[in-house]
Amino acid sequence: MVWQAAALIGREVLVPGGTLGLAGGAAHGGFQLEEPADQVVLTILDASGRAVHRVDLGAQAAGVHSFQWDGGDDAGATAAPGTYRFSVSAKRGGAEVSAQALAATRVLGVARDASGTQLDLAGVGSRPYSSVKQIL
């Protein structure tokens, strides 16, 4: 597994977490739905926790989904570069669907320890190889 993980060095992956790094007018993230949803809403928050942008993604299938944010806010302005947080809410027939936010981050290195193969992730730190939900 270490060799498979080593192939990820320099690649971007989605792992559990709700941060977005806005740089150059783009930020990437993702989410995982445990079951299909007929309404999925993505909310992007600034450092103070204020919602700057909401996106209705409509119906989505179960599984992992990625998205790109262009930095536009709900007022039509461009948000400043930096770190933002996001949340995902999902419903099916009015009932909540389990939705997990996934942060996009670059793999910087790989290590092996007593608990298994670990990835060194930019801005996130060390995470188990098994936490990777998608390779971008």
Side-chain angles (χ1 to χ4, degrees):
M1 186 167 325
V2 172
W3 299 114
Q4 289 174 327
L8 294 177
I9 294 174
R11 303 278 309 268
E12 197 168 16
V13 296
L14 292 176
V15 295
T19 59
L20 287 171
L22 180 61
H28 298 89
F31 59 93
Q32 182 172 12
L33 299 175
E34 292 301 317
E35 57 187 271
D38 50 39
Q39 180 186 18
V40 177
V41 176
L42 172 72
T43 303
I44 299 172
L45 310 162
D46 65 14
S48 68
R50 182 181 64 90
V52 295
H53 190 54
R54 283 177 42 97
V55 182
D56 185 346
L57 299 173
Q60 299 288 323
V64 175
H65 304 270
S66 60
F67 67 86
Q68 181 172 328
W69 176 44
D70 65 3
D73 67 14
D74 287 343
T78 301
T83 301
Y84 292 79
R85 298 206 49 80
F86 71 97
S87 64
V88 180
S89 62
K91 292 184 179 180
R92 181 174 171 189
E96 294 290 325
V97 171
S98 176
Q100 180 181 39
L102 301 173
T105 182
R106 188 160 310 281
V107 178
L108 301 176
V110 177
R112 179 117 175 102
D113 65 16
S115 63
T117 303
Q118 303 292 315
L119 301 177
D120 180 20
L121 303 173
V124 176
S126 182
R127 293 278 180 91
Y129 175 73
S130 61
S131 69
V132 173
K133 302 295 184 181
Q134 187 176 68
I135 302 166
L136 300 174

